[in-house]
Amino acid sequence: MNIILLGPPGAGKGTQARLLVERLGMIQLSTGDMLRAARRSGTEMGRRVADVMDKGHLVTDDIVIGLIRERLLQGDLGSGVIFDGFPRTLAQADALDDMLAREGLRLDHVVEMRVNDDEALVQRVSGRATCATCGEVYHDATKPIPDDGHCTKCSGTTFNRRGDDNADSMRTRLLAYYKETAPLVGYYYVKRLLRPVDGMGEIDQVAQEVEGILSASPLPGAAVRTA
Ligand code: AP5
């Protein structure tokens, strides 16, 4: 089963993707994580995108499409792929359709994480911290790093905060979402793939809604090939 998690910054895409990886053995493909990894390893592409990301703008389509293409070509897609933060433009959505078709794969669901409170999103990302070892996501108010300073998942003791998790960058990221990415809601609605969930609920409630959608699928747990 292959799905997209669609929603504005802070909607909870990464949080829900990690739960699905744990529970269903799916593979999370996050273009944000891939770009941050390129920055950390100091590649030429990583250096080129650093400033664009910190300011909250979108990286060019050719770069992110290339990252996804490369990963899909490697195969080994577990029980299916969760596209997290990709596609973000209509050009990326068209490219994804082509790439999946070429690999004999199809999209099963586009889970739209609906939110109606941009201030809450700013609060969510402003308090975010991520375990540097395993990527577990924390929040200063709603899911704090344990008092003993050890990650609950891997016992790691180093936590990262993102350069773009501030109010200024968030305004740009939200504008980019509404301008460039929100049209994908209509795009996938017409393709009958759109499945809205309430992204303002508690993390567990959202997870239940998402799993309800996935378990209603005719072929849960399978990386569906059309050819
Ligand atoms: P990316 O890394 O994809 O960031 P984003 O889309 O801005 O999304 P976030 O990671 O901020 O939020 P999320 O929805 O995953 O929320 P999370 O679960 O972490 O992209 C970063 C940048 O890379 C972009 O700005 C762009 O420059 C570039 N980029 C990436 N992909 C691109 C593409 N395809 N095209 C072009 N450029 C691209 O949760 C956030 C916080 O909220 C956490 O602290 C969490 O604990 C908390 N939380 C989660 N769910 C809930 C809940 N239900 N209730 C309360 N708190 C919650």
Side-chain angles (χ1 to χ4, degrees), residues 7-16 30-33 35-36 52-53 56-60 64 84-88 92 124-125 127-129 137-139 142-143 162 164-165 173 199-203 206:
K13 303 179 296 293
T15 301
Q16 295 302 324
S30 156
T31 38
D33 286 349
L35 292 165
R36 280 184 288 277
V52 174
M53 291 176 74
H57 297 291
L58 291 187
V59 169
T60 55
V64 288
D84 163 9
F86 180 92
R88 257 170 152 104
Q92 292 177 26
R124 283 189 187 179
V125 301
R128 169 167 49 192
V137 184
Y138 293 89
H139 187 276
T142 55
K143 187 181 164 187
R162 281 168 42 177
D164 59 347
D165 277 350
R173 287 158 67 192
M200 297 307 295
E202 300 285 323
I203 291 173
V206 182

Side-chain angles (χ1 to χ4, degrees), residues 176-204:
Y177 179 80
Y178 293 118
K179 196 171 158 196
E180 306 281 350
T181 310
L184 297 185
V185 170
Y187 178 91
Y188 287 118
Y189 172 77
V190 171
K191 286 176 172 275
R192 297 173 179 267
L193 290 171
L194 198 70
R195 321 277 184 253
V197 299
D198 177 11
M200 297 307 295
E202 300 285 323
I203 291 173
D204 286 348

Side-chain angles (χ1 to χ4, degrees), residues 137-174:
V137 184
Y138 293 89
H139 187 276
D140 294 338
T142 55
K143 187 181 164 187
I145 295 165
D147 287 342
D148 67 2
H150 286 83
C151 172
T152 50
K153 285 278 148 60
C154 73
S155 298
T157 52
T158 310
F159 298 87
N160 293 330
R161 292 191 189 260
R162 281 168 42 177
D164 59 347
D165 277 350
N166 57 70
D168 275 353
S169 176
M170 256 309 261
R171 259 184 290 281
T172 308
R173 287 158 67 192
L174 285 166

Side-chain angles (χ1 to χ4, degrees), residues 13-200:
K13 303 179 296 293
T15 301
Q16 295 302 324
R18 287 182 61 79
L19 292 172
L20 291 171
V21 168
E22 272 172 28
R23 292 174 188 170
L24 302 180
M26 298 176 80
I27 304 284
Q28 176 188 12
L29 294 192
S30 156
T31 38
D33 286 349
M34 292 174 180
L35 292 165
R36 280 184 288 277
R39 290 179 62 171
R40 276 195 303 276
S41 55
T43 64
E44 199 260 322
M45 183 269 278
R47 282 195 296 277
R48 256 191 296 145
V49 299
D51 190 45
V52 174
M53 291 176 74
D54 284 345
K55 288 190 173 138
H57 297 291
L58 291 187
V59 169
T60 55
D61 289 334
D62 56 332
I63 289 179
V64 288
I65 291 168
L67 288 170
I68 292 290
R69 179 178 296 122
E70 208 174 297
R71 178 60 188 85
L72 288 179
L73 285 174
Q74 286 169 15
D76 189 17
L77 302 176
S79 60
V81 178
I82 306 157
F83 294 97
D84 163 9
F86 180 92
R88 257 170 152 104
T89 63
L90 288 166
Q92 292 177 26
D94 283 339
L96 179 62
D97 280 351
D98 289 347
M99 288 187 279
L100 290 175
R102 220 168 292 138
E103 295 301 309
L105 300 168
R106 72 166 193 224
L107 265 181
D108 295 271
H109 306 288
V110 176
V111 178
E112 183 203 358
M113 308 190 60
R114 284 198 179 158
V115 292
N116 58 4
D117 183 349
D118 287 351
E119 267 318 302
L121 296 181
V122 175
Q123 297 297 323
R124 283 189 187 179
V125 301
S126 305
R128 169 167 49 192
T130 307
C131 173
T133 311
C134 72
E136 183 68 3
V137 184
Y138 293 89
H139 187 276
D140 294 338
T142 55
K143 187 181 164 187
I145 295 165
D147 287 342
D148 67 2
H150 286 83
C151 172
T152 50
K153 285 278 148 60
C154 73
S155 298
T157 52
T158 310
F159 298 87
N160 293 330
R161 292 191 189 260
R162 281 168 42 177
D164 59 347
D165 277 350
N166 57 70
D168 275 353
S169 176
M170 256 309 261
R171 259 184 290 281
T172 308
R173 287 158 67 192
L174 285 166
L175 273 175
Y177 179 80
Y178 293 118
K179 196 171 158 196
E180 306 281 350
T181 310
L184 297 185
V185 170
Y187 178 91
Y188 287 118
Y189 172 77
V190 171
K191 286 176 172 275
R192 297 173 179 267
L193 290 171
L194 198 70
R195 321 277 184 253
V197 299
D198 177 11
M200 297 307 295

